[in-house]
Structures are given as structure tokens and as C-alpha cells.
């Protein structure tokens, strides 16, 4: 093997240890938007995310309102219609996208930093953010698309299980609602509702601006100003109510004409700033978060052949998100699979992982960390999370150290205190086809 090849192989072997997290800079604009910036000069492009605290948890009386508002922003801005906006972005090779989840609404732009392309894309993005015109024809079209999607959802056992799971787990809490809303609510929503939602939540003090790419700090500062100067300063969204955990076990069985039964089981999990985040995260990685090599997969898929896949994950949010277990199995195997799922969880809470399992999990998590921040868009997503949830600026720097600091005793302690197998919500959808 040549010297160059040896150097290449060695560089791969030690790539994770040589990983250096990006240098994050942070400031606040004059009208209150929080800005997070990473200079990444490797490619002549820049990724921008603007994150508003305007997800489905802010829907109020109208589930689906946040998603409809988010989807309408590029349908018309200033004196331009949706086609003109799309043509402007495509004429310079820029990509615009928007999404809305329970906690946040996100608007994203990727553009080249060549001056003409950069100026055109950035100015158009600023118009979309600050001057949406909410045209009625687009509103009626998108509303109908949402209603059609809600009808289609009724044919999906996974969607039915997920909706039921969140409704039963969160009760009256805003997290009980799906971001797509429901048919009754979406039918009632009108344009005035969207405009009022936009005026309250799409404001500078409720925004996080993330910029990653081949621009200087001065340019990033000017970008942030351009993007937010026409937004009202406004106020941050009010704090969401605390989540009430389940006090007893619940099981919901929904018949569905399918040969497979969808099983979802879970409880209230944790928030983004939870002090038990790392022992719970690493512990779950071993139990059900590492795909085919997890303990649940070994017990239920490999040893018994009861399912093609089984998983568990925490979904941390502003307030406590869910801890979810899930699988699909043949109808006649559903009871056995659920029993085994509970037995494996109970044994894990009692015994915890072995030292060998913990070592393998740490290597898997930390070894793959560099790949999770190996592009500007991935770094932008992490910065969005750091900014939105108020995580420390050294989050990426300290992530692997905190994973490596987790112990078997720490996982056992966290799971015994936080995971309650006797207070799980279980939803089963299926079972009608023999």
C-alpha cells in the first residue's frame, strides 16, 4: 500500500477523535431576534434557518392553524404571487422550504454566495418572512389539501395509532394535537385566523436566526438585519403549561382491517433541558434506539421473529415530550409481542445494561457524531435546536464528553426514577383480518 493510502486510512480511523465542532457566534438584533452563526468557508454557499416559536402547540382553539399559516408564507409576498416567488428562487438556484411541528415553525433558505444570487435570494426570503399577502385562492387550495390528507390518514393504522397515542397521553395539554389538526377544526379556520396567528407569533423576539456558510460575521450580521428588520419586535410566545404524567396504566384497542397490528406504547418522557438527558438518551440507545442491534430488536425480532422492526425513542421538547415504543406484528402475534416488549423493558429497568453494552453504545454514538455535523445544513439544524431550546453554545463541543461520562449505575438510576413500566399507555390498531 502506498504512503498516501496509509495516510488516508489512518485519517479515517482517527477522524472521530480529530473532529472539531464548529465555532458558534451568537448575538441579538436590535429588534430582539436571537442570531446563531457559524462561518463555514469550504463551499460558496450559505444555509439560513429562521425558527419561530409558532408550532402546533400554539394552535389554541384551532388545531392545524400553525401548519396552515406556515404553508401560506410563500404563496404571496408584497406584490408577488406564488409562481413569481418560486421563479425568483429558482432563477438563482436557491432552495426555500418551510415546516411546522409541535414546538416550532421553520423557514429555510440555501443559496450560493455569488453576489447576484445571494442578494436576489436573501431579499426574496426577507419578503416571504415579513410581507406575506395570504391570497385567498392559495388558502382555499392548501386548506383542501390538508383536508384530503386528513381523510387519507384514516386509512393508515400508523397514523391512527399516533394520533390516539398523543391524545390519550397528553389529554388537554397542547401537545395532544397533531400539527395537521383535525377535519372539524381545519374546516373552521379562515384567513383572519391565519393573519392573527402570524401577527402574534412571527415576530422578531419570537425568532431564532441561524446562518451557516461562506459569509463573514459582518455579512451574517447584515443578513440577520435584512431578514428581521421588517418584522414587528413583538413578544416571545408565552410559556407552555407543564405536562402531567399518567398515574396508571391505560390500553386502547382500535379495530382496523389489516393483517398487521400496530403497537405504540409509552409515557411522558423528558424536555430538552432535562438533567437526566444523557443517561436516558444513552440508556435508550441500548434498549431500543440503535436499530437492529438494540436489546428490543434482539429479543423480539432476532430470537422470536415477531416483527421486522421494533424501536424506542425519547422525543424531548420545550416541555416533556413522549417516550415511545413501537412495532408492527401479525395480528395473531400481537399479544405475545406486547408481552415481550413489556418484559424486556421491566428487565432493563431492574438490571440496566452491561458494561460491554454501554461501551458499544458509547462507541456507536460518539463515533458517528462527526457524521451528524458534516454539512452546513446539518450544522444549521443543530444550531436551530441550540438556539430554540436555549442550550449552551458548547453543546456540540461537550456532547461526546457527556456521552462518555454516562455510567451503568447512572442509567439504572435514571431509568428506575423516570421510566414507569406500570404506568404505560398502550395503543393497538389492527386485528380484524384473520
Amino acid at each position: 500500500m502506498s504512503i498516501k493510502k496509509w495516510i488516508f486510512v489512518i485519517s479515517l480511523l482517527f477522524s472521530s477523535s480529530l473532529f472539531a465542532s464548529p465555532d458558534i457566534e451568537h448575538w441579538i438584533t436590535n429588534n430582539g431576534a436571537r442570531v446563531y452563526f457559524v462561518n463555514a468557508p469550504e463551499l460558496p454557499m450559505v444555509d439560513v434557518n429562521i425558527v419561530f416559536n409558532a408550532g402546533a402547540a400554539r394552535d389554541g382553539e384551532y388545531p392545524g392553524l400553525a401548519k396552515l399559516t406556515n404553508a401560506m408564507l410563500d404563496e404571496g409576498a408584497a406584490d408577488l404571487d406564488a409562481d413569481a416567488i418560486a421563479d425568483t428562487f429558482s432563477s438563482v438556484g436557491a432552495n426555500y422550504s418551510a415546516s411546522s411541528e409541535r414546538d416550532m415553525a421553520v423557514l429555510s433558505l440555501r443559496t450560493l454566495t455569488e453576489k447576484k444570487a445571494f442578494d436576489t435570494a436573501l431579499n426574496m426570503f426577507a419578503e416571504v418572512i415579513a410581507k406575506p399577502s395570504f391570497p385567498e385562492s392559495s388558502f382555499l387550495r392548501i386548506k383542501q389539501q390538508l383536508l384530503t390528507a386528513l381523510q387519507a390518514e384514516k386509512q393508515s393504522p400508523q397514523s391512527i395509532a399516533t394520533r390516539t397515542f398523543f391524545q390519550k397521553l397528553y389529554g388537554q395539554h397542547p401537545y395532544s394535537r397533531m400539527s395537521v389538526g383535525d377535519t372539524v377544526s381545519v374546516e373552521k379556520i379562515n384567513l383572519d385566523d391565519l393573519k392573527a396567528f402570524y401577527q402574534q407569533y412571527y415576530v422578531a423576539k419570537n425568532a431564532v436566526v441561524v446562518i451557516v456558510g461562506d459569509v463573514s460575521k459582518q455579512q451574517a450580521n447584515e443578513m440577520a438585519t435584512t431578514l428581521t428588520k421588517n418584522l414587528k419586535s413583538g413578544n416571545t410566545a408565552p410559556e407552555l403549561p407543564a405536562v402531567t404524567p399518567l398515574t396508571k396504566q391505560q390500553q386502547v384497542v382500535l379495530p382496523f382491517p389489516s393483517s398487521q397490528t400496530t403497537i405504540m406504547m409509552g409515557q411522558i418522557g423528558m424536555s430538552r433541558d432535562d438533567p437526566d438527558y444523557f443517561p436516558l438518551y444513552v440508556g435508550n440507545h441500548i434498549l431500543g434506539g440503535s436499530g437492529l442491534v438494540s436489546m428490543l430488536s434482539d429479543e423480539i425480532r432476532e430470537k422470536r421473529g415477531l416483527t421486522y422492526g421494533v424501536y424506542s425513542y425519547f422525543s424531548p421538547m420545550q416541555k416533556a415530550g413522549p417516550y415511545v415504543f413501537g412495532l408492527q406484528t401479525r395480528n395473531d402475534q400481537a399479544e405475545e409481542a406486547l408481552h415481550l416488549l413489556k418484559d424486556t423493558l421491566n428487565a432493563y429497568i431492574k438490571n440496566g445494561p452491561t458494561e460491554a453494552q454501554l461501551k458499544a453504545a458509547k462507541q456507536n454514538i460518539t463515533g458517528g457524531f462527526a457524521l451528524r455535523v458534516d454539512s452546513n445544513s446539518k450544522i444549521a439544524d443543530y444550531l436551530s435546536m441550540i438556539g430554540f431550546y436555549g442550550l449552551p453554545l458548547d453543546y456540540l463541543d461537550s456532547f461526546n464528553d457527556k456521552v462518555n461520562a454516562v455510567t451503568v449505575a447512572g442509567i439504572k438510576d435514571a431509568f428506575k426514577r423516570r421510566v414507569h413500566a406500570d404506568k404505560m399507555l398502550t395503543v393497538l390498531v389492527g386485528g380484524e383480518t384473520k
Side-chain angles (χ1 to χ4, degrees):
M1 183 180 290
S2 69
I3 292 176
K4 285 185 178 179
K5 287 183 177 178
W6 274 113
I7 293 173
F8 176 71
V9 170
I10 291 170
S11 69
L12 288 178
L13 290 172
F14 289 92
S15 59
S16 63
S17 61
L18 295 175
F19 166 72
S21 61
D23 183 15
I24 303 171
E25 298 190 67
H26 169 54
W27 64 92
I28 298 175
T29 64
N30 290 336
N31 58 355
R34 291 165 287 152
V35 184
Y36 294 79
F37 166 62
V38 166
N39 173 246
E42 292 80 9
L43 295 172
M45 61 175 58
V46 61
D47 284 85
V48 185
N49 286 348
I50 300 192
V51 186
F52 292 94
N53 194 337
R58 309 294 174 182
D59 277 341
E61 298 178 26
Y62 300 111
L65 178 57
K67 193 170 192 66
L68 271 171
T69 305
N70 178 263
M72 280 290 293
L73 296 183
D74 67 331
E75 290 295 321
D79 58 349
L80 299 178
D81 62 17
D83 288 339
I85 293 171
D87 288 345
T88 300
F89 283 130
S90 65
S91 70
V92 293
N95 291 325
Y96 165 87
S97 62
S99 62
S100 178
E101 305 299 335
R102 278 188 172 76
D103 272 347
M104 60 179 74
V106 184
L107 307 175
S108 301
L109 174 73
R110 166 172 282 189
T111 181
L112 297 172
T113 50
E114 183 273 329
K115 182 172 175 48
K116 180 182 177 184
F118 178 82
D119 289 346
T120 301
L122 190 70
N123 290 330
M124 188 71 264
F125 194 37
E127 297 277 83
V128 168
I129 295 164
K131 299 178 181 178
S133 59
F134 296 104
E136 184 171 10
S137 59
S138 295
F139 170 66
L140 295 175
R141 172 174 51 81
I142 292 175
K143 184 174 175 177
Q144 187 55 50
Q145 289 173 346
L146 201 55
L147 290 169
T148 301
L150 287 166
Q151 286 299 318
E153 184 187 281
K154 296 177 182 176
Q155 304 304 314
S156 166
Q158 181 65 51
S159 296
I160 293 170
T162 302
R163 180 179 288 272
T164 304
F165 180 82
F166 274 90
Q167 287 176 341
K168 296 293 182 182
L169 185 63
Y170 283 98
Q172 298 303 310
H173 193 276
Y175 284 167
S176 68
R177 299 155 184 163
M178 304 302 289
S179 62
V180 294
D182 58 67
T183 302
V184 173
S185 172
V186 172
E187 288 278 15
K188 293 179 180 176
I189 295 172
N190 58 48
L191 270 177
D192 288 339
D193 298 323
L194 267 66
K195 293 174 183 175
F197 187 91
Y198 172 83
Q199 291 293 332
Q200 180 174 357
Y201 293 112
Y202 284 77
V203 295
K205 286 185 178 176
N206 202 37
V208 171
V209 180
V210 170
I211 301 170
V212 179
D214 185 21
V215 292
S216 65
K217 182 177 181 181
Q218 180 180 344
Q219 287 175 300
N221 196 12
E222 293 168 356
M223 290 173 66
T225 300
T226 298
L227 293 172
T228 60
K229 65 183 180 185
N230 290 320
L231 289 175
K232 291 183 178 178
S233 181
N235 296 300
T236 56
E239 186 170 356
L240 293 171
V243 174
T244 303
L246 297 176
T247 57
K248 60 182 180 180
Q249 181 173 271
Q250 295 183 38
Q251 181 163 307
V252 180
V253 179
L254 299 174
F256 189 86
S258 62
S259 59
Q260 297 271 312
T261 294
T262 298
I263 299 174
M264 288 188 71
M265 186 180 83
Q267 62 162 67
I268 298 300
M270 60 177 170
S271 60
R272 269 288 167 194
D273 59 355
D274 196 300
D276 288 323
Y277 179 88
F278 281 95
L280 291 176
Y281 168 69
V282 177
N284 178 68
H285 187 87
I286 298 165
L287 176 62
S290 49
L292 297 179
V293 298
S294 71
M295 292 177 68
L296 288 174
S297 184
D298 184 53
E299 292 293 335
I300 301 175
R301 174 193 155 99
E302 299 300 328
K303 293 181 180 175
R304 275 82 170 184
L306 295 176
T307 184
Y308 287 112
V310 55
Y311 58 84
S312 65
Y313 64 89
F314 285 95
S315 182
M317 297 191 281
Q318 288 184 79
K319 298 299 177 181
Y323 185 26
V324 183
F325 298 78
L327 63 90
Q328 287 185 316
T329 188
R330 267 189 2 228
N331 291 336
D332 62 340
Q333 299 178 151
E335 187 174 340
E336 180 185 1
L338 178 58
H339 187 72
L340 193 55
L341 176 65
K342 291 180 177 178
D343 281 353
T344 306
L345 173 61
N346 274 315
Y348 191 69
I349 294 172
K350 179 181 179 182
N351 303 318
T354 64
E355 290 289 351
Q357 288 171 326
L358 178 58
K359 180 180 178 181
K362 289 179 177 179
Q363 290 174 339
N364 183 259
I365 294 170
T366 60
F369 187 71
L371 297 177
R372 296 203 288 275
V373 289
D374 65 353
S375 72
N376 288 359
S377 62
K378 291 178 183 177
I379 295 172
D381 289 342
Y382 265 107
L383 258 63
S384 298
M385 180 188 73
I386 290 169
F388 186 85
Y389 291 111
L391 301 177
L393 294 183
D394 69 349
Y395 180 84
L396 297 177
D397 272 327
S398 61
F399 183 88
N400 281 353
D401 289 341
K402 289 180 178 176
V403 169
N404 284 325
V406 172
T407 63
V408 168
I411 292 173
K412 289 174 68 174
D413 173 64
F415 267 71
K416 283 181 179 177
R417 285 187 292 104
R418 302 293 299 275
V419 182
H420 308 290
D422 60 336
K423 296 173 183 174
M424 288 279 167
L425 166 66
T426 305
V427 178
L428 298 97
V429 180
E432 283 194 341
T433 301
K434 299 296 183 183

